[in-house]
Structure formats: C-alpha cells, structure tokens
Amino acid sequence: MLKVLVVDDFPLFRRGVRELVIEGFQGAKIGEAGNAHEMLELLRLKPWDVAVMDISMPGINGLDAIKQ
C-alpha cells in the first residue's frame, strides 16, 4: 500500500493532489501537512513512501525541511 504525504500551505492544492493520488493509486493512504513543522511531526509518527511538497512555504521552507 502506497503512503503519500502531501505538504503545502494551500488546502485546495493538498486536496487536489490527494484526489489525484487516490484516483491513480487505489488503496493509497494520504497524509496532509500544512507546513514543515506538521510534516516533521508526521514523519516522526510513521514512515511514508513519498512526499509531494511545496518548497516555498512560510516558516521553514521545503528545502530546509528536507535537510531536517
């Protein structure tokens, strides 16, 4: 089962990506985070197969979040 974490500060974008992943990969589990802090917390809780992430978010940007 594919586990995808969608990280973006725009809820509408997250929703669109979630719908595309669910449509293309039946049974996929989707997690959502609105910023890098939420993403890092979700990463601590469980492993993900792939992340779709915005690199220019408020606070910690995506590139710095990847380093962490």
Side-chain angles (χ1 to χ4, degrees), residues 1-41:
M1 175 181 320
L2 182 66
K3 294 178 279 183
V4 179
L5 181 58
V6 181
V7 186
D8 196 287
D9 54 321
F10 291 103
L12 186 58
F13 180 81
R14 293 193 313 264
R15 180 178 178 188
V17 172
R18 181 181 68 230
E19 295 299 320
L20 288 171
V21 170
I22 290 171
E23 183 179 304
F25 300 93
Q26 290 184 343
K29 296 295 182 183
I30 310 295
E32 294 186 35
N35 58 51
H37 292 291
E38 291 177 10
M39 177 195 78
L40 293 170
E41 183 61 31

Side-chain angles (χ1 to χ4, degrees), residues 7-10 13 52-58 60-63:
V7 186
D8 196 287
D9 54 321
F10 291 103
F13 180 81
V52 177
M53 181 171 49
D54 185 1
I55 61 168
S56 60
M57 295 181 287
I60 301 172
N61 68 44
L63 295 175

